[in-house]
Amino acid sequence: MAHVAVCVTAPSHAEARAIGRALVEARLAASVNVVPAVSSFYWWEGALREGDEAMLWAKTRADLVEPLTARVKALHSYACPCVIALPITGGNPDYLAWIDAETLPASTGPDSS
């Protein structure tokens, strides 16, 4: 199975923690790490902005990126939240197998019930 690390930024540590917990509870991610403070620079509505944000990294399978993204968008306070998936091209095979075991079964995605 293909695996990804999904990066999401949030306006606060509390919001990042809430989103991360929801992703793991729904088994859309096997694990989420929250980095409480990052400095961000970005363009928004025609102006260069700067701010402090939190970042979360979710480890999951590639086939769960779409439902994970939908869940983040439903929970997030930003109109256009950053959700990007980066392929995991290698790593500890035992850890990658653990991701598979702790996420939704491939044949029963979150919309299959």
Side-chain angles (χ1 to χ4, degrees):
M1 264 182 215
H3 301 93
V4 296
V6 180
C7 174
V8 178
T9 56
S12 70
H13 184 237
E15 185 168 321
R17 286 179 54 91
I19 292 169
R21 183 177 206 47
L23 296 177
V24 173
E25 285 176 344
R27 296 203 176 260
L28 293 171
S31 171
V32 172
N33 302 108
V34 176
V35 181
V38 296
S39 296
S40 299
F41 303 89
Y42 54 95
W43 287 99
W44 185 251
E45 298 178 339
L48 179 60
R49 308 291 173 110
E50 178 179 343
D52 295 326
E53 295 181 296
M55 181 183 304
L56 62 92
W57 284 97
K59 279 74 71 187
T60 191
R61 297 191 326 267
D63 63 310
L64 291 175
V65 171
E66 188 176 324
L68 181 146
T69 300
R71 186 75 177 127
V72 169
K73 289 172 72 174
L75 296 170
H76 211 290
S77 63
Y78 288 170
C80 183
C82 167
V83 182
I84 56 171
L86 303 170
I88 297 173
T89 60
N92 177 355
D94 296 333
Y95 184 81
L96 299 177
W98 174 79
I99 291 173
D100 294 338
E102 297 303 330
T103 52
L104 289 172
S107 61
T108 60
D111 299 324
S112 65
S113 53

